[in-house]
Amino acid sequence: MIDFPKPELELSRRQLLGAGSAFTLAFFLPGKAAEAAGASSAVNSWLSIGADDSITLTIGSSDMGQGASAGLAQLLCEDLMVEPARIQLKQGAPTLASPAPLGTAINTVGSGVTRNNYWRMRDAGAIARETLVAAAMARLGDGNRANYQVSNGVILHSPSGQRLSYGQLAADAALLVPPSSAPLVPDSQFKYIGKPCARPDIPLKVDGSAIYGLDVRVPGMVYAVIKHCPSFGGTLAALPATPAGALALVPTKVWAGTGRGAEAVGNTNALAVVGVTTWDAWQAAKRLSPSWTLPASTAALNSSQFMSDAQRLMSSATPYVAGAANPPGTLYTVERSSADANAGLAGAAKLLEASYSLPYVAHACMEVLNCTVDYVAGQRCEIWAPTQSAKSALALVCAITGLSADKVVFHTTYLGGGLGRKAELDFISQALQVALVLQKPVKLMWPREEDFAHDQYRPMALVRVRAGLDANGYISAWSYRNVSPSILGQRGVPLGASGDSQGYEASQALPYAFGARLTEWVSHPSTIPVGFWRSVGASINTFAVESMLDEVAAALGQDPYQFRRARLSDPRWIAVLEAAANAAGWGSAPPAGRARGIAVGTAFNTVVAQVVEVANNNGQPRVTRVWVAVDAYLTVNPGSVEAQIVGGVVHAINATLYGRQTFANGAAQVKNFNASRMIRLGEMPEVKVLIMPAPANADRSRPIGGVGELGVPTFAPALANAWFRLTGARVRSLPFNPNATMGG
């Protein structure tokens, strides 16, 4: 086994594990900690080459449709020198061991699988290749490496013409100690990296053979449907009688590690209705009317109150004090220039101020939350779940069942959408609690209404931006304050002097010439559960920042693209902005009745610019074309990048035009897709994705960017900016059409 040191350290030593006639290379790929969530983002993979020339790569990341596992295999193939089609991918299971051994599952979050493991995966492929070459040298008695060439898993000995496949050398390689490092394929000779590559998961999803969580069936299984207290924070008052058509009612509580906001640990906040079929359980749950006890604080969980609190905190928040409790309502200073921003605003030749608001938004994954559990008391537990957090889920299983990890078998299925929601463990804890009571296999599911009404939402936010302009029209002072609930705070993460990184990301360290600047974040006191939603804080802050910059450009009578271009200092931002503008033909007039808007921003080490073209459809925007330029520094599979960006644009269109969740006395008001409008097929705009060229020779010290979440943040401001140019109306509060339904 190749033994890597702890995450964030350089590779130090490697060992080999041989078994029979197979060459098995286990390598630990340490990665950056998941974005302030306290979850490991290390990828652990297991490469096995059989005597039959089979090559199997076990990958621990979850498949949500993003193609990350196939991308890692593509990286491996470059330096292992085999065609990607030869690789068989296998889903890794979780472990609690540290460091995690071969092939184990990890938490798949923060667009981090590829960016955190690009170099480590390549190193692993090169080391495996050179170990196999060493086996060939030993067999042929020629130790001159220059006499050997490798092509698609076959090693050619030039002097003799002998050809040995990896499979023929697997047993010999299993007896060798791998080198500590190996030369990588030069960038100029890439065959696979940066090239479109077919994903092996796509045919399975097309022909229906891919197994999602909802597809799992276990002999003797019964079905459970969850029914929560309608209001967050409520608890079961009394166990009602089992309704007709149901086998049992099982109360479930909020388990430690799954409590968020008003959903306090220990509260019995839901009932699982168990039936012989899904239909039986679902219909019985709909007929059930349990009695719930609501805390007095529920009366304050109203959308109007949330906005009122945010407005109050814009001026009255209490500053952070080191070592103090710093409860919600605390003001954190994210960045402050040496020059005083408030003084700069007071002395500005012109002062602009605007507030931008965004609502809570549900994840609304197509596959509802579900988990299947087969538990035998005191002996074993087997779980099937569409989860982004298999390692954390395994720890939860052990805590709830009392079993040691070796008695637990965990299967991560395909995910019918994740978007951050399936990084949570509430649905898994509920399934386990039901299985412990029933003592038989059970599949627990959330009806769509429960999915919408008991999400862990993208936080609502109110942002105030003030810009002071000097006599020459430059921004001499910039003041930015975001008031929003804390995702990390609800997870028990201590907040330092700058607050919650998930709240202020994409609002600080902006490469604009702002002069004096002050960036602040205030923790909103709302206890509605919040969580990680595609692009998280960047979806909030990029809207506010890029909308305000557009307002400044308009006030100065300047072109919004040229205005940004003149004030940017980062070459990557400038190049991406120019690429998007040029692709859209920014200097030319759009078709009659249309206008274009532009925005640029960053998240997960990637810079993205979007140009959105819009028409007026009876007072509502109709998006006609979108151009997206993206610079992630390195691109593994451009087809996957394009697919992720286009999917992100669709996600952003839905959220920008229609997405919101509102609350009355702690109860969510939008409970299904009929009241949560999505664009129809005929409304899909043409989307053009431009991927910035990779460097001629990649540098290990340069951060690689993520892609999965990057289609989202810049869309909303680009659309709002286009709408202003078309109509003269400035939209500062999302969504554009909050009352739209699928009926109109």
Side-chain angles (χ1 to χ4, degrees), residues 352-356 463-467 478-481 544 548:
L352 298 180
E353 179 174 333
S355 292
Y356 306 91
V463 181
R464 183 190 65 193
V465 192
R466 293 182 292 170
W478 175 270
S479 175
Y480 186 97
R481 179 177 290 193
M548 186 58 172

Side-chain angles (χ1 to χ4, degrees), residues 95-110:
T95 179
L96 301 183
S98 182
L102 45 101
T104 54
I106 51 96
N107 291 352
T108 305
V109 294

Side-chain angles (χ1 to χ4, degrees), residues 589-596 613-616 622 624-625 722 725-726:
R594 300 182 186 180
R596 297 176 186 140
E613 184 180 270
V614 65
N616 190 334
R622 169 71 187 272
T624 54
R625 300 183 72 186
R725 298 188 84 189
L726 181 67

Side-chain angles (χ1 to χ4, degrees), residues 629-663:
V630 54
D631 180 2
Y633 183 59
L634 295 175
T635 297
V636 177
N637 186 340
S640 289
V641 170
E642 181 175 358
Q644 285 298 291
I645 294 296
V646 172
V649 168
V650 175
H651 191 176
I653 291 173
N654 291 330
T656 303
L657 295 181
Y658 313 116
R660 72 163 183 166
Q661 182 60 280
T662 60
F663 298 89

Side-chain angles (χ1 to χ4, degrees), residues 2 53 105 394 481 643:
I2 293 180
D53 276 320
L394 175 59
R481 179 177 290 193

Side-chain angles (χ1 to χ4, degrees), residues 4 254 537 708 736:
F4 286 77
V254 180
F736 273 72

Side-chain angles (χ1 to χ4, degrees), residues 447-645:
R448 183 68 65 189
E449 290 80 4
E450 297 291 333
D451 214 22
F452 267 87
H454 286 83
D455 202 350
Q456 297 181 31
Y457 306 92
R458 196 277 306 274
M460 56 79 62
L462 180 65
V463 181
R464 183 190 65 193
V465 192
R466 293 182 292 170
L469 309 181
D470 64 17
N472 296 317
Y474 280 89
I475 300 174
S476 57
W478 175 270
S479 175
Y480 186 97
R481 179 177 290 193
N482 174 323
V483 181
S484 57
S486 174
I487 296 173
L488 299 186
Q490 286 195 1
R491 283 148 180 77
V493 177
L495 303 183
S498 58
D500 187 342
S501 60
Q502 305 298 295
Y504 63 73
E505 64 181 338
S507 68
Q508 87 289 9
L510 299 170
Y512 285 110
F514 278 163
R517 68 177 70 191
L518 174 65
T519 305
E520 300 171 318
W521 175 78
V522 180
S523 55
H524 191 287
S526 168
T527 57
I528 296 297
V530 291
F532 305 97
W533 184 91
R534 197 174 192 176
S535 80
V536 204
S539 68
I540 295 170
N541 293 309
T542 304
F543 173 64
V545 168
E546 288 295 298
S547 292
M548 186 58 172
L549 285 169
D550 219 69
E551 297 207 40
V552 174
L556 294 171
Q558 296 184 20
D559 176 85
Y561 159 60
Q562 295 295 344
F563 173 83
R564 288 171 172 80
R565 175 67 179 77
R567 287 156 181 79
L568 282 171
S569 58
D570 188 310
R572 288 182 71 201
W573 284 56
I574 293 171
V576 168
L577 184 71
E578 288 180 342
N582 291 338
W586 185 268
S588 62
R594 300 182 186 180
R596 297 176 186 140
I598 194 166
V600 62
T602 186
F604 308 109
N605 299 331
T606 294
V607 182
V608 174
Q610 289 197 40
V611 174
V612 173
E613 184 180 270
V614 65
N616 190 334
N617 182 24
N618 297 319
Q620 290 296 320
R622 169 71 187 272
V623 181
T624 54
R625 300 183 72 186
V626 181
W627 296 266
V628 189
V630 54
D631 180 2
Y633 183 59
L634 295 175
T635 297
V636 177
N637 186 340
S640 289
V641 170
E642 181 175 358
Q644 285 298 291
I645 294 296

Side-chain angles (χ1 to χ4, degrees), residues 375-391:
Y375 170 74
V376 178
Q379 298 182 38
R380 64 173 180 82
C381 188
E382 193 165 4
I383 303 98
W384 295 260
T387 178
Q388 296 174 239
S389 302
K391 181 178 180 180

